[in-house]
Amino acid sequence: MSDYFGGYAVFVALLLVGGGIVGGGLAANRLLRPDRPTPEKLTTYECGVDPVGGHWAQSYVRYYVFAFLYVVFAVDAVFLFPWATIFAAPGYGMTTLAEMFVFLGFLATGLLYAAKKGVLSWV
């Protein structure tokens, strides 16, 4: 029974050592850094431009949809590369070809749905 908890003791010890290293680094940073706050330093930073207007800004959901579509098709590429490597393996050709067409069919259905909803139009 002591061997069972011995593995956890090593894990807890490593966790404490790692936490101590991170905490020590943060404490050293706090002690060694200069601390001279000015009103100019405490203002909101917006890409080097002085902030103008209120703090509330409205953004379009369309940009997030484009980002989501990009992620979907980037993941598509992640699945295509392993498929291309196993496609030439003996005994897997027709099975992997059929599976890939099913996968590409799901992607095409999603793309057609997005196009039908007007998501793909930029303006």
Side-chain angles (χ1 to χ4, degrees):
M1 197 64 161
S2 65
D3 290 335
Y4 179 76
F5 291 116
Y8 286 111
V10 171
F11 174 73
V12 169
L14 286 174
L15 193 65
L16 290 175
V17 169
I21 290 172
V22 170
L26 290 173
N29 182 27
R30 184 108 166 147
L31 292 173
L32 298 175
R33 70 182 171 98
D35 188 25
R36 298 183 199 97
T38 62
E40 191 173 66
K41 287 182 182 178
L42 297 176
T43 60
T44 305
Y45 180 74
E46 292 183 9
C47 299
V49 180
D50 291 333
V52 178
H55 64 281
W56 179 255
Q58 192 173 16
S59 61
Y60 293 108
V61 175
R62 182 177 302 148
Y63 300 129
Y64 297 108
V65 173
F66 280 118
F68 182 70
L69 285 173
Y70 171 76
V71 168
V72 166
F73 288 104
V75 169
D76 168 29
V78 168
F79 285 115
L80 282 175
F81 287 120
W83 171 78
T85 59
I86 201 169
F87 184 67
Y92 289 105
M94 293 310 284
T95 305
T96 56
L97 184 63
E99 288 174 352
M100 188 48 59
F101 277 124
V102 169
F103 177 68
L104 291 175
F106 281 123
L107 285 176
T109 304
L111 185 62
L112 289 174
Y113 177 77
K116 184 177 178 184
K117 287 292 188 176
V119 173
L120 301 177
S121 62
W122 184 256
V123 179

